[in-house]
Amino acid sequence: QVAVVESGGGSVQAGGSLRLSCAANGYTYVTYTGVCMGWFRQAPGKEREGVAHIDSDGRTIYADSVKGRFTISKDNAKMTLILQMNSQITDDTGMYYCAGSKWRCTVADGAPPAYNYWGQGTQVTVSS
């Protein structure tokens, strides 16, 4: 059974940075190289929002609200997904979730992937 576990959340002042990590367990190395991984967030009273996605070739998709400020990366050797969040604003506050696909995946068509595995989340709070 695949499990993904987020870490790195916390509190930060507006303009600051946080780095989130997502450790994957249960994938083989070869499988992990081929899947899509992504980050989602949910603020209180709002719908879950796709933040960023990355596929096996390193292609990425970002929400307009984070473009230019966030960077998603995938370390296949460590089976770890990263979300580097810079120039943070209060609207970045929410619970952040990591997700992974079960099968080989691509975002070459520009569409966000469907995911099979979800983490429990890590809280990010940005204060002004």
Side-chain angles (χ1 to χ4, degrees), residues 2-123:
V2 170
V4 292
V5 182
E6 306 92 339
S7 62
S11 297
V12 66
Q13 194 172 5
S17 299
L18 285 174
R19 181 179 182 270
L20 304 183
S21 297
C22 172
N25 296 286
Y27 287 113
T28 67
Y29 169 77
V30 171
T31 299
Y32 188 79
T33 65
V35 302
C36 293
M37 301 291 293
W39 290 97
F40 294 77
R41 67 187 181 186
Q42 188 169 23
K46 297 183 179 179
E47 297 294 320
R48 186 175 62 190
E49 173 191 23
V51 174
H53 312 271
I54 187 167
D55 71 9
S56 58
D57 292 321
R59 298 182 181 92
T60 56
I61 298 174
Y62 293 97
D64 288 342
S65 58
V66 308
K67 195 170 297 182
R69 301 187 299 114
F70 289 12
T71 302
I72 187 172
S73 60
K74 182 167 177 263
D75 186 332
N76 290 327
K78 297 180 179 179
M79 292 198 292
T80 299
L81 182 74
I82 302 296
L83 185 67
Q84 180 66 47
M85 304 185 292
N86 297 327
S87 302
Q88 295 217 248
I89 60 176
T90 55
D91 285 351
D92 294 332
T93 294
M95 187 72 74
Y96 282 69
Y97 299 92
C98 172
S101 68
K102 183 177 183 179
W103 311 108
R104 174 168 288 275
C105 180
T106 180
V107 300
D109 60 0
Y115 295 104
N116 306 94
Y117 308 114
W118 295 84
Q120 295 298 306
T122 185
Q123 179 67 38

